Amino acid sequence: MMKFNVPKKMGIKPNTVNKQTIQGFDIELKTEDKERIDRLVDIYENSILTHLDDEYVRKTTWADRLADRISSFGGSWKFIICFGFFLAFWMIWNSLGFTKHFDQPPFILLNLILSFIAAFQAPVIMMSQNRQASRDKHESIIDFAINYKAEQEIDDMQSHLHRMEAEIMSIKQLLLAQNKEQENEEE
């Protein structure tokens, strides 16, 4: 909240106005305007992300999306915890004396299963990472294009502001010259 200093001799109390300034500029925005701008930017970003997601679904095959789901599960804590319980259960089941042992220590069948999972999970995760890297590259190109366009628009606005400032200065000089002429005529 910003308080504006109003001279007390005018009989006006200082007015508290809900305004903020844009960082780096001396442009004041009302809170409602700032919220509206933030909302518009969010809508724009969401529409871009929606288009990217639609394009991703169009360009990827069913097998690619399955690989993405497998890698998202295979690279999660849920997988690690579930697989840890599975390994513990397997070893306890095959080590206790009162159960039927189908894979006695040194757990050769378990080693085969682990090798099988590692052999197939690694390439699936790598395929998914390659697609994600490609998607990230595409998104970064879009981000660069948006930033470049914004920079061009900012440069254009600054040139307009400089032109307006020059015109205001010339008008100010004309007014000052006109005031001096009027003062000279009155004397």
Side-chain angles (χ1 to χ4, degrees):
M1 233 190 241
M2 207 177 209
K3 290 186 178 181
F4 292 96
N5 294 327
V6 180
K8 291 182 181 179
K9 64 183 177 181
M10 297 176 97
I12 301 172
K13 294 182 181 178
N15 186 12
T16 304
V17 180
N18 213 10
K19 291 190 177 185
Q20 296 178 345
T21 59
I22 297 177
Q23 189 174 5
F25 301 97
D26 291 333
I27 301 171
E28 292 181 351
L29 287 177
K30 293 180 184 175
T31 304
E32 307 91 50
D33 293 337
K34 183 181 178 307
E35 289 170 358
R36 192 178 111 242
I37 291 169
D38 289 341
R39 191 172 54 250
L40 289 172
V41 168
D42 289 341
I43 290 170
Y44 186 68
E45 287 176 352
N46 288 335
S47 70
I48 289 174
L49 291 175
T50 302
H51 289 302
L52 286 175
D53 289 338
D54 291 344
E55 183 178 347
Y56 172 74
V57 170
R58 267 195 324 272
K59 287 186 175 183
T60 56
T61 64
W62 177 84
D64 292 338
R65 288 191 295 274
L66 178 64
D68 289 342
R69 283 190 217 110
I70 290 171
S71 67
S72 69
F73 175 71
S76 69
W77 279 105
K78 185 177 181 180
F79 172 77
I80 292 171
I81 291 168
C82 291
F83 203 66
F85 282 126
F86 171 76
L87 292 175
F89 174 76
W90 185 284
M91 288 187 268
I92 291 170
W93 183 269
N94 288 295
S95 298
L96 294 178
F98 63 87
T99 62
K100 182 180 178 191
H101 301 238
F102 55 88
D103 187 26
Q104 296 178 2
F107 308 116
I108 295 172
L109 183 59
L110 181 61
N111 283 328
L112 178 66
I113 292 171
L114 291 173
S115 297
F116 177 80
I117 289 174
F120 283 97
Q121 190 178 24
V124 167
I125 290 173
M126 289 175 66
M127 286 188 301
S128 178
Q129 286 177 338
N130 288 340
R131 268 191 310 285
Q132 186 62 42
S134 174
R135 186 176 180 188
D136 290 344
K137 181 179 178 183
H138 184 67
E139 288 180 17
S140 69
I141 290 170
I142 290 172
D143 286 344
F144 174 77
I146 290 170
N147 291 339
Y148 182 73
K149 178 70 174 168
E151 185 178 344
Q152 286 180 329
E153 289 178 5
I154 289 170
D155 287 343
D156 188 42
M157 286 173 38
Q158 283 181 332
S159 66
H160 286 301
L161 288 173
H162 290 301
R163 183 181 49 79
M164 289 169 55
E165 184 180 27
E167 289 175 0
I168 289 172
M169 289 302 292
S170 64
I171 291 171
K172 185 178 178 181
Q173 288 173 354
L174 287 172
L175 288 174
L176 288 173
Q178 190 177 19
N179 278 344
K180 282 189 178 186
E181 285 179 13
Q182 286 178 354
E183 287 175 4
N184 290 339
E185 288 177 4
E186 289 177 2
E187 291 177 355

